[in-house]
Amino acid sequence: MPKVKITNSTTLQSEILRLKRKSRALENELGDRVDYFKGNYGKMALNSIIPGSAKHSGWMGIAGKVAKVAWQSSNAKSFATNALMTALEFIGVRLGINLFDKFRKSRSKKKKAKMAATPSEED
């Protein structure tokens, strides 16, 4: 719309109304763009990490769909959680055993060194 020369209050009011309508239209357009961005955010993030994966073509698309279906299943979630917890417990126990063995061996070495440094009293 061409520029309007404002000479009285009625044209001023009509121009204010026109600009308000225009701002509402721009707000709606911005909202639509944000909705589009929200809808495609996951695809964009995945595409930034693995280029071409957002197209859902090839084996990545198939694997993604299978993973999505599996993750939506409560049985798969509980299985994955149990498997992860079991693996973490195993790792924790192994680390604990290794730390204990290391501590025990260092004390044993210190004790042997102390015994070797002390003269025998059987003389």
Side-chain angles (χ1 to χ4, degrees):
M1 184 172 206
K3 289 185 178 181
V4 177
K5 188 172 186 178
I6 299 176
T7 55
N8 55 25
S9 64
T10 57
T11 55
L12 177 63
Q13 291 300 323
S14 65
E15 185 65 15
I16 289 172
L17 289 174
R18 184 187 69 81
L19 291 174
K20 282 184 180 180
R21 282 193 301 268
K22 184 177 179 181
S23 69
R24 283 190 199 117
L26 290 173
E27 287 172 359
N28 289 336
E29 183 181 342
L30 181 63
D32 292 340
R33 289 181 181 183
V34 168
D35 290 340
Y36 176 77
F37 179 73
K38 283 182 183 177
N40 291 319
Y41 183 71
K43 290 179 185 177
M44 289 176 8
L46 186 61
N47 198 26
S48 68
I49 296 169
I50 305 169
S53 63
K55 296 175 186 173
H56 298 294
S57 61
W59 65 273
M60 279 297 292
I62 294 169
K65 288 177 184 175
V66 169
K68 183 178 178 182
V69 169
W71 190 249
Q72 289 174 348
S73 168
S74 61
N75 291 338
K77 280 185 186 178
S78 65
F79 173 76
T81 304
N82 289 340
L84 181 64
M85 291 305 292
T86 303
L88 288 175
E89 287 173 359
F90 177 76
I91 291 169
V93 168
R94 290 302 304 163
L95 286 175
I97 290 171
N98 289 342
L99 285 173
F100 179 74
D101 283 345
K102 189 175 181 180
F103 176 73
R104 186 180 51 82
K105 286 178 183 177
S106 68
R107 286 191 48 107
S108 174
K109 284 181 184 178
K110 286 180 185 176
K111 192 174 185 180
K112 286 180 183 177
K114 187 177 180 183
M115 292 297 278
T118 314
S120 64
E121 295 181 12
E122 295 180 4
D123 291 331

